[in-house]
Amino acid sequence: MSEKKLPPSIRIVEVGPRDGLQSILQRIETADKIKYIDLLSSAELPEIEVTSFVSPKWVPQLGDGAEVFAGIRKRRMTVYTALVPNTKGLEAAIDAGFRSVAVFVAASETFSKKNTNCTIAESIARLEQMQPIWKAEDLRVRGYLSTCWHCPYEGKIDPEQVLPVIDQLFRLGIDEISLGDTIGKAQPDEVAALLQRLPKEWAITDFALHFHDTFGYALSNVEAGLQHGIRVYDTSAGGIGGCPYAPGASGNLSTEALISWCDDHDVATNMKLDQVRAAGAFIRSLLVL
Ligand code: HMG
Ligand code: MG
C-alpha cells in the first residue's frame, strides 16, 4: 500500500487511571489517583478514562472509583469516562455522575471467560440489558473489543472472529469502537490486515485503536492505523499497566511517546506535553517497580 499523508490532528484517549492502574497490586491511595488525574486534566486531554466499576473482588485497585470521580477537578473540555462490565457497574457509574461510559467485550472466547466470566454471546446479552439504561440516560458509549489480533490463551485471532463482534457492537448503537491489542503482540501488517477488512459502510471515524506496548510495536501500529484513516488512539501517561486477566501484557503505549511522535510529524494533539510528563512521572514515582 502506498504511504498516505498524515492527518493534521488526532485525538488521544488517556486510559492510564483505569488501564494503567487496574493490574497494579500495590495499593495506590485515592488522593494520589486524584492528583494523577488532575495533572492529566491540566494537560488539556480531550478524554480521560477515570476508573472502572467492575467487581472489586476482580479488580481491587479500582474499588474507589466513585470517590476518585468526586474528588477530581473537572475540566469542561475533557470527557471523563468510566469502564463498566454490566448493569450493576453502569448504574454505579451513573450514580457517581459519569456521562460517558466504556463497555468491553472480546473477540476470543477464552479471554472473554477469563476476563468477564461469560462467553462472547453472554457479554453481548449483558450489553443488551444495559442499552435501555444508557439510551434513557443519553450517555456517550465507547466499546472496547479486546484480543483483536492475539489472545494470551488462544494465540492468533483471525479477522473473521473480530468482524461479527464489531457488527454486534454497532447494532447496539455504540458510538466509538476501540480495537484492542490486549497483549501488545500485533505487528503493523497484522493491524493493516484487519483494518483493510472493515466494511466500507462502517465509518472509519467511529474506530479507535488501543495498543499495549509489550514488544515495542505500538508506535509502528499507530502509523499503520493512521495510514488506514484512524484518528483516535488510547494511551496511558507513564505507559503503566496492563490487564490482570491477560498474563504477560505490559502497559499501554505511553501518552508522552505518542505526543512526541505527533510533534515530530506535525500532527496536532493540542495537549500539553510537559503536563503529561509530570503526570507520568508522578504516577511512576509511586510505583515500587
Ligand atoms: P461474576 O463473578 O460472574 O459476577 O463476575 P456475578 O454477576 O455473578 O456477581 C458476583 C459478585 O460480584 C456479586 O457480589 C455481585 O454483586 C458483584 P456478591 O453477591 O458475591 O457479594 N458484582 C459487582 N460488584 C461491583 N460492581 C460490579 C459488579 N458486578 C457484579 N459491576 C464480572 C462478572 C463482569 C462482574 C467480573 O468478571 C468482573 O468484574 N470483571 C472485570 C475484569 C476487569 O475489570 N478486567 C479489566 C478491564 S478490561 C481490559 O483491561 C481490556 C481493555 O483495556 C482493552 C484491551 O486492552 O484489550 C478494555
Ligand atoms: Mg487495555
Side-chain angles (χ1 to χ4, degrees):
M1 171 180 179
S2 61
E3 291 279 297
K4 281 195 193 145
K5 240 176 91 174
L6 292 172
S9 64
I10 61 162
R11 182 162 65 85
I12 289 180
V13 176
E14 169 61 51
V15 296
R18 192 279 304 171
D19 207 350
L21 294 182
Q22 68 184 9
S23 61
I24 289 170
L25 297 176
Q26 173 199 343
R27 167 91 196 133
I28 306 294
E29 295 302 325
T30 303
D32 288 328
K33 293 175 187 165
I34 292 171
K35 184 169 174 193
Y36 177 43
I37 298 168
D38 281 347
L39 284 165
L40 292 168
S41 289
S42 66
E44 303 186 356
L45 299 166
E47 178 165 358
I48 302 175
E49 197 166 281
V50 171
T51 189
S52 64
F53 290 89
V54 301
S55 161
K57 285 184 194 139
W58 284 61
V59 180
Q61 181 68 266
L62 300 183
D64 58 355
E67 292 88 335
V68 170
F69 193 49
I72 60 172
R73 281 195 299 274
K74 282 129 196 130
R75 182 179 166 264
R76 229 157 42 89
M77 302 300 284
T78 298
V79 173
Y80 296 94
T81 300
L83 185 79
V84 295
N86 53 15
T87 302
K88 187 174 173 124
L90 176 61
E91 286 172 342
I94 293 168
D95 287 349
F98 282 93
R99 306 295 307 149
S100 169
V101 293
V103 296
F104 55 110
V105 297
S108 134
E109 283 293 354
T110 315
F111 184 75
S112 181
K113 272 270 179 206
K114 299 269 187 192
N115 196 38
T116 50
N117 202 21
C118 66
T119 63
I120 297 170
E122 286 163 347
S123 70
I124 297 290
R126 281 182 188 167
L127 298 188
E128 284 167 353
Q129 284 175 2
M130 296 156 78
Q131 188 204 38
I133 305 173
W134 78 54
K135 272 186 147 177
E137 292 282 335
D138 198 22
L139 301 183
R140 181 281 192 130
V141 185
R142 211 167 188 249
Y144 285 107
L145 181 53
S146 289
T147 56
C148 286
W149 292 276
H150 293 266
C151 167
Y153 308 100
E154 292 181 15
K156 204 163 159 44
I157 299 292
D158 191 278
E160 289 304 316
Q161 291 171 255
V162 180
L163 298 173
V165 193
I166 299 176
D167 187 48
Q168 286 172 300
L169 293 177
F170 275 134
R171 283 173 196 275
L172 282 156
I174 284 168
D175 299 301
E176 179 173 282
I177 297 178
S178 178
L179 305 175
D181 178 24
T182 313
I183 54 171
K185 218 171 170 201
Q187 300 199 25
D189 58 333
E190 297 174 289
V191 172
L194 175 60
L195 299 182
Q196 277 156 14
R197 295 288 303 279
L198 300 179
K200 293 281 172 281
E201 59 267 26
W202 292 344
I204 202 72
T205 46
D206 288 344
F207 286 94
L209 292 172
H210 179 106
F211 295 122
H212 286 263
D213 203 18
T214 319
F215 301 104
Y217 304 136
L219 261 179
S220 309
N221 287 341
V222 169
E223 291 187 60
L226 289 169
Q227 292 298 318
H228 286 81
I230 298 200
R231 301 280 178 271
V232 186
Y233 295 89
D234 303 347
T235 59
S236 89
I240 56 170
C243 174
Y245 298 98
S250 76
N252 300 87
L253 172 61
S254 89
T255 313
E256 300 90 314
L258 184 54
I259 299 175
S260 298
W261 186 92
C262 286
D263 287 350
D264 289 347
H265 291 81
D266 293 324
V267 176
T269 57
N270 301 316
M271 292 161 49
K272 294 186 173 167
L273 179 55
D274 285 352
Q275 291 290 70
V276 176
R277 283 202 175 114
F282 170 70
I283 199 68
R284 292 192 77 86
S285 75
L286 299 178
L287 302 181
V288 183
L289 294 170

